[in-house]
Every structure is written in C-alpha cells, then in structure tokens.
Amino acid sequence: MNPLFNKIKTLEGLSTGQSFFKGNGREFQISSPVDGKSLGSVTACTKIEYDAIVNKALEAKLTWQNTTAPARGEIVRQYGQKLREHKNDLGELVSYEMGKSLQEGLGEVQEMIDICDFATGLSRQLYGLQMHSERPKHRMLEQWHPLGIVGIISAFNFPVAVWAWNTAIAWVCGNVCIWKPSEKTPFTAIACQYLFSEVLAENNLPEGISNLIMGDKEVGQMLAEDKRINLVSATGSVRMGKSVATTVAGRLGKSLLELGGNNAIIVTENADLQQAIPAIVFGAVGTCGQRCTSTRRLIIHKNIFEELKEQLVKAYSQLKIGNPLDTTNHVGPLIDKSAVDAYFNTIEEAQKQGGKVLCGNRQLKGENYTTDCYIEPTIIEASADMPILKTETFAPILYLIPYKTLDEAIRIQNNVPQGLSSAIFSLNLRETEQFLSVNGSDCGIANVNIGTSGAEIGGAFGGEKETGGGRESGSDAWKAYMRRQTCTINYGKELPLAQGIKFEI
C-alpha cells in the first residue's frame, strides 16, 4: 500500500492526543471491495472516550473562535497544500478502500483541494449587512458568529470530499469539528485527520480543532443527542437522516441534511444524443451507481426512445469492469455484499412490476474479479407507474421511461419522494426554460445539457423533499455554520422607540 497508508497504520490509540482511532468499543474489520484484502481494524469509541473528545473540542473552541477569520483561512490553505502533496496517495486509498475508479478517487481529493481554496477566500468575505433604521441617529447591522462545535456524519460513497465541504467552511467560520466517518471507510478519514494534525502542530494550534470518532449509528446518535454539538451535518440514507433530524430537533438543535437522491434526466426529441449519451452513462455507472447524484431514471421522448435505447445498450456493452486502480476500467465494485444483494433484489422486484431487463443483471466471476462485489450495470425498460421507481437503490440500475409531452416528463421526474439532482438534454430554448421554471424541476440541482452528477464546489449543493433541504459547499452555504446577530446602535442623546411608541417617565 502507499506511503500515506503505511504512516497511518503505525498510529495507535490517540493520534497526537486529539482523536481516538482505536477506542474500546465494537471492533470493525475493514477489507477492500477491490480484492477482499484486509486494511486492518478500527474500534468504536465509548461514551467516556466520546466525552473526552468533546471536552478537547470545547477547549480548542475558545482559541479558534478568537483567531481572526483570515488567519483561520490561512490554516485551511495550508491543509489544501498538504492535500496537493499527498493527492495521489490519498486518491489511491479512496479508490482501494471504497471501490470507485482511481480517476474518481483523485477527483474526490481534488474536490477537497478546491473547497480549501474556496474557504480560504471566503475567510475574508463573511459579510453582514447594514440596514437603515426608522429611528434618528440609530444604525442597524447584522453580524455572524461561529456556532461552536459542528458534528459531521459522512457516508462511504464520498469518504473524504463531503467531509471537506463541511469542515473547510466550518473551520473558516470559526467552528471546531467532530467527524464520524462511515464505519465502512475509516482509513481514508484517518489519513485526512493525520494530515490536518500535521498542520495544527506546525502552527502550534490546539489539537481539538479537528476531531475524529469511530463507530456506527450508536456513535452517530451520541452526536445527535449531545446539546454541546451546535450543528449536526449528516450525509446518508433518508432513514438515517430522519433519525438524526428527529433527535436533534428534540433538543432544538440545528441539523444540515444531505440524504437520498433518485435523479432523472429528461431527453427530448430536440436533444443532441452524441452529447447526452456519455453524460447518461457516466451518471448511471460512475462510482458503480453509488453516488447520491447518480442517474436512476431516464425519461425519453417516445419519438427517440428506441434509437436511444439501442445506443445505450451498445454503450453499456463497451464498459470495462474490474479493478478500479486500473485506469483502463470504467466501473469498479459495489461497496460490499449487502449492496450486491440490494442490486439483485431491486432488479427482481422491477421485473415483477413489469420491467424488462435490457442488459446487465449479472454478477461477475473469475480471476479478474477477486471479490463478490463486481456486477454488471443494468438497464431496465420501465413504465412510469412502477412503484420501484420511487425507491433509490445504491447500485448501477438505470430505468428507461417513455413520455409524450414535456409536461408529462416533468411530472414523472418530480413524482418521487427525493429531490436532489435533475437534468434535461434539449437544444430547444423553450423546453430548457420550462424545465428551469417554477413549474419545472422540483430538485435542488437542475442542469441543462449536462448530467445529474459532477457538481462543482462553487455552487450550493443539496436537495429538497426527502433529500433533506440542506445546502453545503459553495455560494452562501457558509451561513448554516454561523449564527446571525442583529445589532442596533444608538449614537444620539434621545431614546426614540420603534413604531412611534411613546413611553415617558
């Protein structure tokens, strides 16, 4: 394994004092879906260990929130430089531990670098507003302060990038962070924490600015229940998100949720199919269909349905499936055997509901497939009324659905509980503008002539309905990590009251 992994494998117990990589709780054995080989084990933190980490964070908070925002930005800039230096090693580890292609693993680390750059600039742009007062010689303004401690629960499919979206912004806003990564991909998290601990040590800053806790949903529940955690940002399934949201709301805390996606692309008869096909295929099979923005449903105008269907089946036949560290392969494995079971169960249910499998539906065996996690991406011809279409399965299953009018296509797209990403392929201005209008896509992301996946960090990322309503990364998503304070300053000698109220004593 690469030098970065070899370094973190030598760490025992506490890393530089701030984070339990090996607690005294349940042990998790981690093996790669690529070849089945063991990466090692981690153990969950206990309640006592969890409280020790929170206390570390509380101590560090006082120093960090009183550090100027540009100075905090400089620390994040230095972390981005560390990531640049270790991009290849970390990208390879992401690919090997999670199973996505090496190109996607490197791209995920590049997302981390990009958000560090964005956050560094943001550290000088945490703007408030000034408003005119109705009272003479009064001034009104708003300012933003750190929340305190931000808890981050991340998922296996983007084991490092989504954490960075949250933590880079949270850091420059003056918060300290506690990260619970997926128990399926802990070693990439340890590597990220290790690199940031180097930055903290080099700048004589408290270790508790960034903290790592290991464990499953029980440890996540500790974060959700803890009144000392000012914001819980959770990425994962709808079921997990509902549990977190209910628990955090019960203590009147703040939560930021990025949950399931069930994303659709509408292809009109005015589409450029040569442009659409690569976007559809990557959206459906990238990360082996394990992105929250993966394309699940393809809604195709009836006049081009057969033509596009034929071209997609041909494109799928050319996919190379195998070891994701081999850059000639397009598709790697699913994360584990349970994901494979969900893949086959979903296809079986779709067939019961009238779906027709056009390609795929096969587990790959042989010397090139050293685990049971390699499957063929599948295309299913479907009808819009199939109940299975409303369910997200984290696997490369693409449903093809015909439509007659754009109004019908938009209704089909929106008729699911999730509302993350959406796209339309059309060269017709009226069609694309209708798709983007208030009567069009109901998703948090709406793209024209690009696919559903591959968001850039400059825009706010998130979705509506059961996707949770949260926004991360760019634009003004930073406001979720701060508290707003409205201030009124009276610089006159009189004390006039608002709304003309008279009160004399």
Side-chain angles (χ1 to χ4, degrees), residues 309-322:
K309 178 175 73 173
E310 180 180 338
Q311 291 192 41
L312 285 173
V313 171
K314 181 179 178 181
Y316 269 51
S317 70
Q318 298 170 354
L319 291 174
K320 295 180 180 179
I321 305 165

Side-chain angles (χ1 to χ4, degrees), residues 157-463:
N157 60 327
F158 278 84
V160 295
V162 174
W163 165 74
W165 290 358
N166 282 271
T167 202
I169 304 300
W171 281 333
V172 299
C173 289
N175 303 290
V176 299
C177 297
I178 299 176
W179 178 19
K180 193 207 85 63
S182 169
E183 65 274 18
K184 296 180 180 182
T185 52
F187 286 101
T188 47
I190 294 171
C192 292
Q193 176 73 5
Y194 172 78
L195 294 176
F196 192 70
S197 70
E198 288 189 333
V199 175
L200 293 176
E202 290 162 4
N203 289 273
N204 297 312
L205 285 168
E207 297 158 341
I209 291 170
S210 179
N211 306 275
L212 188 64
I213 56 175
M214 292 295 176
D216 53 13
K217 62 182 179 181
E218 292 178 359
V219 176
Q221 190 70 10
M222 293 181 196
L223 279 175
E225 292 175 349
D226 194 341
K227 292 182 179 180
R228 296 169 295 179
I229 308 302
N230 304 94
L231 170 69
V232 178
S233 176
T235 302
S237 68
V238 172
R239 182 175 61 180
M240 179 277 291
K242 287 181 177 180
S243 174
V244 169
T246 301
T247 302
V248 175
R251 60 177 175 86
L252 297 181
K254 299 178 185 293
S255 61
L256 192 164
L257 304 174
E258 296 291 352
L259 311 176
N262 190 356
N263 315 293
I265 295 177
I266 297 172
V267 185
T268 80
E269 59 183 333
N270 297 301
D272 179 348
L273 295 187
Q274 296 306 308
Q275 183 184 54
I277 289 171
I280 294 165
V281 175
F282 176 74
V285 310
T287 323
C288 203
Q290 296 170 115
R291 292 184 175 217
C292 54
T293 55
S294 290
T295 305
R296 312 285 180 200
R297 298 171 295 138
L298 192 63
I299 305 165
I300 309 168
H301 193 277
K302 64 182 184 63
N303 290 348
I304 60 169
F305 186 86
E306 293 300 324
E307 177 187 359
L308 183 52
K309 178 175 73 173
E310 180 180 338
Q311 291 192 41
L312 285 173
V313 171
K314 181 179 178 181
Y316 269 51
S317 70
Q318 298 170 354
L319 291 174
K320 295 180 180 179
I321 305 165
N323 188 321
L325 295 173
D326 181 346
T327 56
T328 64
N329 289 325
H330 301 103
V331 183
L334 288 170
I335 184 66
D336 54 25
K337 185 61 167 58
S338 63
V340 174
D341 292 340
Y343 162 82
F344 282 115
N345 290 340
T346 298
I347 294 171
E348 181 180 359
E349 182 59 31
Q351 289 176 306
K352 288 179 181 178
Q353 294 178 16
K356 179 183 176 182
V357 174
L358 302 177
C359 64
N361 191 22
R362 192 164 70 94
Q363 190 172 25
L364 298 175
K365 302 284 187 178
E367 62 180 22
N368 293 327
Y369 309 106
T370 50
T371 70
D372 293 330
C373 298
Y374 291 89
I375 49 86
E376 281 190 344
T378 297
I379 299 176
I380 299 176
E381 187 171 343
S383 59
D385 59 355
M386 288 169 51
I388 195 72
L389 298 185
K390 295 188 178 183
T391 302
E392 179 192 33
T393 301
F394 243 43
I397 301 171
L398 179 65
Y399 300 102
L400 309 189
I401 308 155
Y403 79 90
K404 294 180 180 178
T405 68
L406 186 55
D407 285 340
E408 178 191 6
I410 292 172
R411 283 196 302 270
I412 293 170
Q413 179 202 279
N414 293 346
N415 189 32
V416 294
Q418 308 86 356
L420 179 53
S421 188
S422 59
I424 188 171
F425 276 85
S426 174
L427 300 180
N428 183 294
L429 180 64
R430 290 178 176 174
E431 289 179 334
T432 58
E433 289 298 315
Q434 181 179 345
F435 176 76
L436 297 176
S437 74
V438 69
N439 298 314
S441 171
D442 65 0
C443 297
I445 299 170
N447 296 331
V448 174
N449 293 326
I450 62 170
T452 58
S453 61
E456 299 179 32
I457 59 92
F461 180 90

